[in-house]
Amino acid sequence: MGEFELIDRYFKRPARRHPLGVGDDCALLGLAPGMQLAVSCDMLVEGRHFLATVDPRKLGHKSLAVNLSDLAACGVEPLAFVLALALPQADDAWLEPFSRGLLALADQHGCELVGGDTTRGPLNICVTVFGQVPPGQALLRSGAREGDDIYVSGTLGDARLALEAFRGTVSLSGEVFDATRARLETPTPRVALGLALRGVASAAIDVSDGLAGDLGHILDQSRVGARLEVDLLPGLMAAPTGAVPHERRLECVLAGGDDYELLFTAAPAQAGAVAAAAAAGGVAVTRIGRIEAEPGLRIVDGGGRPVPHRYASFDHFA
Ligand code: ADP
Ligand code: MG
């Protein structure tokens, strides 16, 4: 199978929503009148972001999911994406499930594959996603204000628990392992929640590098601090009591990463609107703390006592 046959077989479908898709030198995108174009790019590298043994269908799903999660964090509606793919060989047994997983999630979100590049090389997957948002309405990291509540969607730490189980540093029951593994391998981008939070949230980010670090980005860019209440964090109880020590679970929640949940702030007066957005987004949302004027992140237990921590955001070069 040659390069062009590969593209035709697995990645070329008639463009539906856009004037021009795969097959020409450029794709042409249609935006609704007056909308701003939003762009985000994420790369997945074997050994860094996924295990060589992962099911290619799940890898296809995740490659787009992590990009849709960035659009969700900004309250952006997905439109289209391009795929740059380096492959060691043109292998149908890998390409068929990979493209199936990728395009199934794309169809769920009406986000069309409109182009890309395909080359031989060590397995590397780079997706660039395009979306639209009314000018001035994108959710940013810089809008958090003193007194805002801090919320997170879904649960945190599950993906990291699964990774630790793969590494053999924790042991999970079959049922818990399956559930956490699904969270690691096929995360759900919170696109509908992000859209519903426009005009409600004051700041937002998606949790890809760990709660403490990603909240740190909001705090830095908003020039504020925060108090997080450990007892409010969702997901601490994901593993059956006793199977994984509390300390390890807390570490997974605060510093695990790969969660792809939305972390956002909103003024207390917006609490009802936040609940409505959670209902519209089809995902639970939990209040986990409050923005304070004093810079820095303070993590406290139920009695208000400080929980010592040294959690920072994941850094590929640290
Ligand atoms: P060019 O050489 O002009 O850059 P290519 O030969 O690389 O174009 O690609 C031919 C067409 O196939 C282009 O429309 C390109 O966007 C598309 N394409 C290439 N690789 C992919 C891919 N992995 N997924 C989707 N479209 C792709
Ligand atoms: Mg060209």
Side-chain angles (χ1 to χ4, degrees):
M1 172 173 46
E3 175 187 336
F4 301 106
E5 191 190 341
L6 183 165
I7 295 166
D8 278 353
R9 193 181 297 176
Y10 295 110
F11 300 116
K12 183 171 180 159
R13 298 193 303 175
R16 281 170 294 186
R17 197 164 153 187
H18 302 286
L20 195 59
V22 172
D24 223 301
D25 289 299
C26 288
L28 298 174
L29 301 187
L31 294 191
M35 293 290 238
Q36 225 164 33
L37 180 66
V39 181
S40 183
C41 173
D42 255 311
M43 183 159 63
L44 277 80
V45 176
E46 183 178 306
R48 253 292 124 181
H49 301 97
F50 59 90
L51 307 168
T53 51
V54 71
D55 175 350
R57 182 185 62 79
K58 294 175 179 172
L59 188 58
H61 172 104
K62 188 165 178 175
S63 303
L64 181 60
V66 301
N67 280 276
L68 290 175
S69 179
D70 284 318
L71 295 189
C74 287
V76 168
E77 177 195 347
L79 287 178
F81 69 106
V82 293
L83 168 68
L85 197 57
L87 293 171
Q89 68 256 334
D91 175 8
D92 287 297
W94 189 91
L95 280 158
E96 192 283 322
F98 174 82
S99 64
R100 188 155 40 87
L102 178 83
L103 296 175
L105 183 66
D107 287 346
Q108 261 180 45
H109 291 276
C111 186
E112 272 176 58
L113 176 56
V114 293
D117 197 24
T118 307
T119 169
R120 189 190 289 271
L123 184 55
N124 186 80
I125 303 156
C126 183
V127 168
T128 301
V129 73
F130 306 94
Q132 63 182 6
V133 63
Q137 287 191 32
L139 305 174
L140 304 178
R141 298 177 178 183
S142 52
R145 296 292 172 260
E146 178 184 2
D148 283 357
D149 289 313
I150 304 170
Y151 297 90
V152 71
S153 64
T155 58
L156 298 173
D158 305 319
R160 183 55 181 266
L161 262 184
L163 185 62
E164 294 301 327
F166 275 118
R167 289 174 172 164
T169 73
V170 301
S171 83
L172 303 175
S173 73
E175 206 178 310
V176 172
F177 178 62
D178 289 346
T180 55
R181 180 180 184 175
R183 300 268 295 144
L184 174 68
E185 294 182 338
T186 51
T188 305
R190 304 301 185 188
V191 175
L193 176 63
L195 290 176
L197 286 172
R198 280 185 197 163
V200 174
S202 51
I205 190 170
D206 66 319
V207 184
S208 53
D209 295 336
L211 172 65
D214 286 323
L215 178 56
H217 294 312
I218 288 187
L219 303 184
D220 288 345
Q221 297 200 23
S222 300
R223 300 172 187 282
V224 290
R227 172 176 301 256
L228 266 194
E229 293 179 45
V230 162
D231 292 4
L232 299 179
L233 294 175
L236 264 184
M237 296 302 146
T241 315
V244 180
H246 178 82
E247 279 308 306
R248 291 297 302 280
R249 292 200 304 250
L250 184 59
E251 197 180 321
C252 288
V253 169
L254 288 173
D258 249 5
D259 298 296
Y260 303 103
E261 294 297 345
L262 295 190
L263 171 67
F264 60 95
T265 59
Q270 297 283 5
V274 168
V283 62
V285 154
T286 310
R287 196 188 74 80
I288 58 172
R290 177 148 296 152
I291 296 294
E292 298 177 336
E294 189 194 338
L297 174 59
R298 291 161 289 283
I299 303 180
V300 299
D301 66 15
R305 287 174 296 269
V307 176
H309 71 94
R310 45 177 180 78
Y311 303 117
S313 195
F314 184 78
D315 180 336
H316 281 281
F317 295 100

